Amino acid sequence: MDAIINDAIAYVKQVFANDYSGHDFFHTLRVYKMATRIAEEEGAYLLIVQLAALLHDVDDIKLSPATHDNKDRAVGFLREHGVSENEIALICEIISEVSFRGADSTAPRTIEGKCVQDADRLDAIGAIGIARTFAFGGNRNQTMYDPDVKPLLNMSESQYHNHVSTTLNHFYEKLFLLKDLLNTATAKEIAKRRDEYMQAFVTEFLAEWEGIL
């Protein structure tokens, strides 16, 4: 077990060596650690959770559209390490369920999938979530904030992926929604403080923007 996990960590470090969008190696490492914590609390199959967490972004459509559909990178790594086809199918299913899809978001079928999705969503909120949001916005040349551009709520998956907005609107369009979309009791408890911190940040941001504070 330790050998394949260590190899997976080395692999994702290589894949994300030049990523500055907030989906970097350290994001993956945090998701792996948090997914492990949740899995241990929730009684999930730890190795499946850890491998899915480590590989969850290697074929992400935003980062590697050419490999996204067939999960080529994840499948290739797993086959090279002798993982069974049944386990590969389960890991790929979990990876395909991780992403936020606006109003079309669904809960994963398995407890392992729930652990990984929760870990990924927890990394999108709180202090780290704030930093990642502005890193991603800058990476995509997004305007930080424009009072005339209002957030678009209840977007479908297609609308969410094609919508051009501001970085601050992302809090309303996704991040403030995540607390209520978590699956496990462990993640829901962790999310409370992170969501409060994030809400306070946006309140402070808007007050400073208007010169109130």
Side-chain angles (χ1 to χ4, degrees):
M1 178 174 171
D2 288 344
I4 191 172
I5 293 301
N6 288 338
D7 285 354
I9 291 171
Y11 176 63
V12 295
K13 187 173 185 179
Q14 173 190 343
V15 169
F16 298 116
N18 297 307
D19 188 279
Y20 305 100
S21 71
H23 294 82
D24 57 6
F25 165 68
F26 293 106
H27 161 67
T28 293
L29 200 59
R30 289 191 302 272
V31 171
Y32 159 71
K33 291 177 179 177
M34 180 58 72
T36 298
R37 174 181 170 183
I38 296 170
E40 289 173 341
E41 291 286 335
E42 301 290 333
Y45 182 3
L46 193 58
L47 181 59
I48 293 295
V49 168
Q50 290 177 323
L51 288 172
L54 285 167
L55 299 171
H56 82 278
D57 265 347
V58 297
D59 297 295
D60 186 276
I61 194 167
K62 298 184 295 295
L63 310 173
S64 184
T67 70
H68 170 73
D69 288 345
N70 297 316
K71 307 288 184 289
D72 297 329
R73 287 175 169 175
V75 171
F77 174 86
L78 294 168
R79 283 181 177 158
E80 286 175 9
H81 286 77
V83 178
S84 73
E85 290 300 317
N86 285 341
E87 289 180 323
I88 290 173
L90 177 55
I91 291 167
C92 286
E93 176 186 325
I94 292 169
I95 292 171
S96 71
E97 294 170 334
V98 167
S99 294
F100 178 78
R101 297 184 174 90
D104 295 328
S105 295
T106 57
R109 178 181 64 86
T110 64
I111 184 59
E112 289 75 24
K114 289 177 171 66
C115 293
V116 177
Q117 187 185 74
D118 282 0
D120 187 56
R121 288 180 173 179
L122 284 171
D123 204 58
I125 63 176
I128 293 290
I130 292 167
R132 289 184 62 220
T133 299
F134 283 95
F136 184 81
N139 184 261
R140 297 303 171 95
N141 299 314
Q142 279 184 348
T143 301
M144 184 169 67
Y145 176 56
D146 183 342
D148 294 328
V149 179
K150 304 303 179 185
L152 182 61
L153 306 179
N154 300 313
M155 286 184 280
S156 67
E157 180 177 3
S158 176
Q159 287 175 311
Y160 178 74
H161 285 303
N162 294 300
H163 179 56
V164 178
S165 191
T166 68
T167 298
L168 200 76
N169 279 353
H170 189 62
F171 287 86
Y172 298 96
E173 293 168 349
K174 175 183 177 182
L175 306 188
F176 289 158
L177 308 178
L178 294 181
K179 176 174 66 71
D180 295 325
L181 293 174
L182 295 171
N183 304 287
T184 64
T186 304
K188 290 175 182 178
E189 186 61 32
I190 295 168
K192 291 177 183 177
R193 182 175 179 277
R194 295 191 183 198
D195 183 75
E196 289 172 0
Y197 184 91
M198 193 168 57
Q199 298 272 359
F201 168 81
V202 171
T203 299
E204 177 77 12
F205 180 101
L206 293 172
E208 291 183 15
W209 186 277
E210 297 297 335
I212 297 171
L213 295 177

